[in-house]
Amino acid sequence: MTADEYQRVIDELQALIDDTLQTLKRFEATGINEEMTEDYDKLLSILDDAVKQQREHTQLMLSG
């Protein structure tokens, strides 16, 4: 992958991270996180995976 391609993936992952954080905040603000624990946990998993992937792509871009 080129540096531009890595950057595009990193930016897309950042958008996913931002959207997921906003959704988590809405869950917490309304208390839904306590009623829909499975969905809340899935959102946390999505966030964790996106952060890990973003870190990996950043490291690959910097090492390349």
Side-chain angles (χ1 to χ4, degrees):
M1 288 179 77
T2 67
D4 288 341
E5 291 170 327
Y6 278 118
Q7 189 61 54
R8 184 169 34 96
V9 172
I10 291 166
D11 292 344
E12 290 290 330
L13 287 165
Q14 187 61 51
L16 175 62
I17 290 166
D18 293 342
D19 289 346
T20 305
L21 284 171
Q22 289 299 324
T23 303
L24 285 166
K25 286 179 186 178
R26 285 194 303 269
F27 263 61
E28 293 164 358
T30 59
I32 291 177
N33 57 313
E34 294 180 20
E35 295 175 27
M36 300 177 67
T37 55
E38 285 184 33
D39 292 333
Y40 187 76
D41 288 343
K42 287 178 186 177
L43 286 169
L44 290 174
S45 180
I46 291 168
L47 179 62
D48 184 54
D49 289 344
V51 169
K52 287 178 183 176
Q53 288 180 43
Q54 189 183 48
R55 186 178 316 123
E56 289 172 14
H57 279 84
T58 301
Q59 289 173 341
L60 288 169
M61 182 178 73
L62 294 174
S63 67

